Amino acid sequence: MNRCNHVISVQFSSQLKNLKMVLYCQRKPSSYPKGMEAKTLETELLQDWQCPQGTIPIVRSPQHRLGQKTTPISPSNQLDANDAKIHEFAQVSAALGNYFGASARFNIWKPATFNGEFSLAQIWIVAGHGQETNSLKAGWRTYPETNYTRLFISWTSDGYQRTGCYNLECPGFVQTSNKLGPDAVLAPLSRYAGDQFEISTYIYKDKKSGNWWLRVNEIDLGYWPSSLFKKLSDRADMISWGGEIVNSGLQGRHTSTQMGSGHFPSEGYRKASYIRNIRYVDESGAIHDAQSVFSFVTKPECYDLHRGDIPNYGTHFFYGGPGYSDKCL
């Protein structure tokens, strides 16, 4: 359930006590990447209400916590050493660069999930490696405890060893919007062979403050303070866009948790999930199409990815799949 809470000072938990935090709240970005629409637009995907001035929306509902066992950062490491759950991906990445932000448009679905697993679509911004990994994520996700598709964010400054969480479950992300917040329900959803509904998502570095701002459907939700990070206090060196699921492997077989629309990318537009207008922000603050990206798919017989060729969709791809089948065991 959503409630409006007054914006108050936050006491940071002991796990963050060694991090130097900003001493002020930045109310809005000092600037926007060149070419990004800065005007706030209303959209049918957002709540039809907003909180009074000086308050923010807070979602009060059960959550999954990242804790010690969470998504591996490196695509080459699919199995957390402390967890029997395998995270599977269908994504594209831009690596070995100097990135100051990323953006994309996602069409929104509600893939089926089982056994406490999740399914999500995301932008993933990374700097560093191993326990020095800093990362930011934003997109949409579903999991069995909810009947909805929700906006989500997450972060870590140490490869999820001690820091980081989803949404506002721990101190870190500073929410400034009174219109939209992390874990907000997204509706309406795309329909198979029917209408497609999207959200636009930007994560970008404010060059003046150094904070990483999140913007969804032309609304500035808030920011991750630069002081949370060591590596991302400067820039990112990898960006990924794509889908992710958790496969618990119960009863010795692959999960039936779906990715994207639950259909393979070969089915194409209005049937498969897509991510389009994939872009990155360079050091000058200019936005560029992310044309030089490489694909990474863990199990194409379960979930796959195909580059698209729709006019005016920029760099884009279709991705996803149904999970368990006679080929996906």
Side-chain angles (χ1 to χ4, degrees):
M1 182 179 295
N2 293 289
R3 292 291 186 266
C4 298
N5 279 15
H6 286 280
V7 180
I8 59 174
S9 298
V10 176
Q11 296 296 319
F12 290 91
S13 63
S14 59
Q15 70 178 15
L16 299 178
K17 63 183 180 181
N18 294 323
L19 295 175
K20 182 179 179 182
M21 306 305 298
V22 291
L23 300 179
Y24 66 93
C25 178
Q26 186 182 9
R27 296 185 179 276
K28 62 181 181 179
S30 61
S31 63
Y32 293 94
K34 300 171 185 175
M36 187 178 84
E37 175 59 66
K39 181 181 177 181
T40 297
L41 303 177
E42 298 301 324
T43 171
E44 60 184 331
L45 284 168
L46 307 184
Q47 301 105 317
D48 58 1
W49 54 268
Q50 68 182 51
C51 291
Q53 191 70 27
T55 67
I56 59 173
I58 298 292
V59 178
R60 295 174 179 171
S61 60
Q63 299 286 311
H64 278 298
R65 295 187 178 275
L66 291 184
Q68 296 288 337
K69 302 176 181 180
T70 187
T71 306
I73 295 298
S74 170
S76 63
N77 178 17
Q78 302 310 311
L79 180 63
D80 189 322
N82 299 314
D83 197 339
K85 297 179 180 179
I86 296 177
H87 296 254
E88 298 186 14
F89 302 86
Q91 65 185 30
V92 302
S93 299
L96 303 177
N98 296 317
Y99 307 112
F100 292 80
S103 66
R105 296 189 68 90
F106 303 78
N107 64 341
I108 309 169
W109 300 85
K110 187 182 180 300
T113 56
F114 304 94
N115 305 316
E117 301 161 344
F118 66 69
S119 180
L120 57 79
Q122 65 190 358
I123 296 175
W124 189 359
I125 293 182
V126 180
H129 303 281
Q131 294 186 10
E132 294 186 348
T133 298
N134 295 185
S135 80
L136 306 172
K137 293 184 177 184
W140 60 258
R141 67 170 179 165
T142 63
Y143 45 91
E145 287 76 4
T146 178
N147 292 321
Y148 304 101
T149 299
R150 295 179 180 270
L151 180 69
F152 89 93
I153 63 172
S154 73
W155 70 276
T156 184
S157 62
D158 61 0
Y160 297 104
Q161 296 301 302
R162 293 176 58 83
T163 66
C165 62
Y166 281 117
N167 300 328
L168 303 179
E169 292 178 354
C170 66
F173 184 80
V174 179
Q175 184 175 331
T176 60
S177 172
N178 67 340
K179 297 181 179 180
L180 181 68
D183 213 30
V185 172
L186 299 175
L189 303 177
S190 300
R191 294 187 292 272
Y192 184 81
D195 294 335
Q196 303 298 295
F197 295 93
E198 304 177 337
I199 57 170
S200 66
T201 303
Y202 288 86
I203 302 175
Y204 64 94
K205 190 174 184 65
D206 184 322
K207 298 300 289 290
K208 184 175 181 180
S209 67
N211 300 328
W212 288 87
W213 275 85
L214 173 65
R215 187 173 177 85
V216 176
N217 278 25
E218 288 69 54
I219 292 178
D220 297 310
L221 270 68
Y223 60 90
W224 293 273
S226 175
S227 53
L228 284 173
F229 308 104
K230 292 183 178 179
K231 302 296 184 180
L232 279 175
S233 64
D234 183 19
R235 65 194 69 197
D237 52 36
M238 186 178 79
I239 307 169
S240 296
W241 300 260
E244 177 184 352
I245 63 96
V246 167
N247 173 25
S248 298
L250 296 181
Q251 300 175 339
R253 70 169 180 82
H254 196 280
T255 182
S256 294
T257 285
Q258 300 173 343
M259 181 188 292
S261 69
H263 294 263
F264 283 113
S266 57
E267 296 193 41
Y269 183 65
R270 298 173 65 215
K271 297 179 180 179
S273 190
Y274 62 79
I275 301 179
R276 70 178 178 97
N277 295 109
I278 296 169
R279 299 172 178 172
Y280 69 89
V281 181
D282 69 12
E283 190 167 6
S284 73
I287 297 176
H288 302 273
D289 287 335
Q291 297 178 348
S292 298
V293 294
F294 64 90
S295 302
F296 175 76
V297 178
T298 47
K299 296 189 72 173
E301 63 271 28
C302 304
Y303 317 101
D304 207 355
L305 180 151
H306 293 166
R307 293 284 292 268
D309 57 1
I310 299 176
N312 302 318
Y313 268 35
T315 302
H316 64 283
F317 62 90
F318 296 93
Y319 70 98
Y324 177 73
S325 69
D326 57 351
K327 295 181 180 180
C328 173
L329 303 175

